[in-house]
Amino acid sequence: MRLVFLGAPGSGKGTQAVWLQGRFGIPQISTGDILRKAVTEGTELGKKADSIMKSGALVSDELIIALMRERLGQPDCARGFILDGFPRTIAQGESLDAMLGPARAIQSAIFFEVSEAEIIRRLTSRRTCAQCGRIYNILSDPPPASGACGSCGGAIIQRKDDSEETVLSRLKVYEEKTAPLKEFYYKQKKLYILRAEQPVERVRAELEALLAGLQAV
Ligand code: AP5
């Protein structure tokens, strides 16, 4: 199974991708998570990405494409993968097609449809474990009152790019650079729309039904 999860920031891609990774035993690959780890570790990539991510802009296509070429060549991707947050520009989509070739081509791109008001609500109330990356939400899925992550005991933080001001600029960048990928995958007859403005369990059930339908084809 080779899937792309498309959608605005906060549409719930990471929440469902992490679940699906456990369900199907294929890796969830989040370019955002890879970049945040690089920032925490202070690598060259992290130094280049840090201020760009804080501002809500996109890291250069060149850096991201090189990073993904290396990641998709790793053995755990042989049985498939879920791409969460990549591609994010048409140039990234075209490079992805070229690097996979026809034998390993993307099978489906699933678009998470959520309104802008809901996205702002979700992102400004999101909390994340700084250690293992587990996603919480103070409104719908609150972290333990102790302030320590329920999975690993790490510190719960609010991502720097989840302030309302940065969320608004991320949405602008999304509309300009990433939204055209819907058309890109539609033209390839690979686009599926997921009604993602529902409770997590409902979205999960619809996603599971959609994937079962795709496997049956
Ligand atoms: P990245 O980390 O990829 O951020 P994003 O795409 O903006 O996605 P998010 O993680 O914000 O949202 P999500 O859709 O995964 O939602 P989530 O499941 O967490 O990228 C960060 C930055 O890195 C970018 O701005 C850019 O600078 C850089 N970058 C990354 N990839 C790049 C690329 N390819 N090219 C260039 N630059 C790149 O859910 C959000 C919240 O809602 C959570 O609190 C969750 O609990 C809650 N929630 C989820 N589902 C539901 C539901 N159904 N109902 C209620 N609440 C829900």
Side-chain angles (χ1 to χ4, degrees), residues 132-204:
C132 73
R134 180 168 163 185
I135 304 163
Y136 294 94
N137 191 290
I138 52 174
L139 302 176
S140 56
D141 180 19
S146 66
C149 174
S151 296
C152 73
I156 304 294
I157 56 153
Q158 180 169 28
R159 267 170 52 174
K160 292 200 175 85
D161 58 352
D162 278 349
S163 67
E164 185 158 354
E165 192 191 348
T166 312
V167 168
L168 292 175
S169 66
R170 283 163 69 195
L171 283 171
K172 236 174 119 190
V173 170
Y174 166 78
E175 279 306 328
E176 196 184 312
K177 305 264 174 70
T178 309
L181 282 164
K182 252 178 99 175
E183 176 83 7
F184 177 82
Y185 284 110
Y186 175 75
K187 283 187 181 153
Q188 294 193 16
K189 300 189 170 46
K190 291 179 180 172
L191 183 73
Y192 295 85
I193 309 287
L194 184 67
R195 295 181 304 159
E197 195 161 335
Q198 308 185 73
V200 173
E201 295 69 27
R202 292 288 300 276
V203 177
R204 186 168 296 166

Side-chain angles (χ1 to χ4, degrees), residues 8-15 31-32 35-36 53 56-59 64 84-86 88 92 118 122-123 126 135-137 140 159 161 170 196 198-200 203:
S11 54
K13 305 178 298 293
T15 299
T31 36
L35 293 169
R36 275 184 291 280
M53 291 173 78
L58 294 185
V59 174
I64 295 287
D84 165 13
F86 174 85
R88 231 176 174 100
Q92 291 180 17
E118 173 68 4
R122 285 186 190 179
L123 286 183
R126 174 166 62 183
I135 304 163
Y136 294 94
N137 191 290
S140 56
R159 267 170 52 174
D161 58 352
R170 283 163 69 195
Q198 308 185 73
V200 173
V203 177

Side-chain angles (χ1 to χ4, degrees), residues 9 18 21 23 28 36 47 55 64 82 84 86 91 101-102 106 119 122 124-125 130 136 142 154 168 175 195 215 217:
V18 167
Q21 161 173 262
R23 172 87 172 70
Q28 167 239 7
R36 275 184 291 280
K47 283 178 198 152
S55 74
I64 295 287
I82 307 151
D84 165 13
F86 174 85
I106 291 298
I119 280 167
R122 285 186 190 179
T124 50
S125 56
Y136 294 94
L168 292 175
E175 279 306 328
R195 295 181 304 159
Q215 282 178 318
V217 172

Side-chain angles (χ1 to χ4, degrees), residues 44-59:
E44 277 311 305
L45 171 66
K47 283 178 198 152
K48 286 181 188 153
D50 192 20
S51 58
I52 300 174
M53 291 173 78
K54 277 183 195 146
S55 74
L58 294 185
V59 174

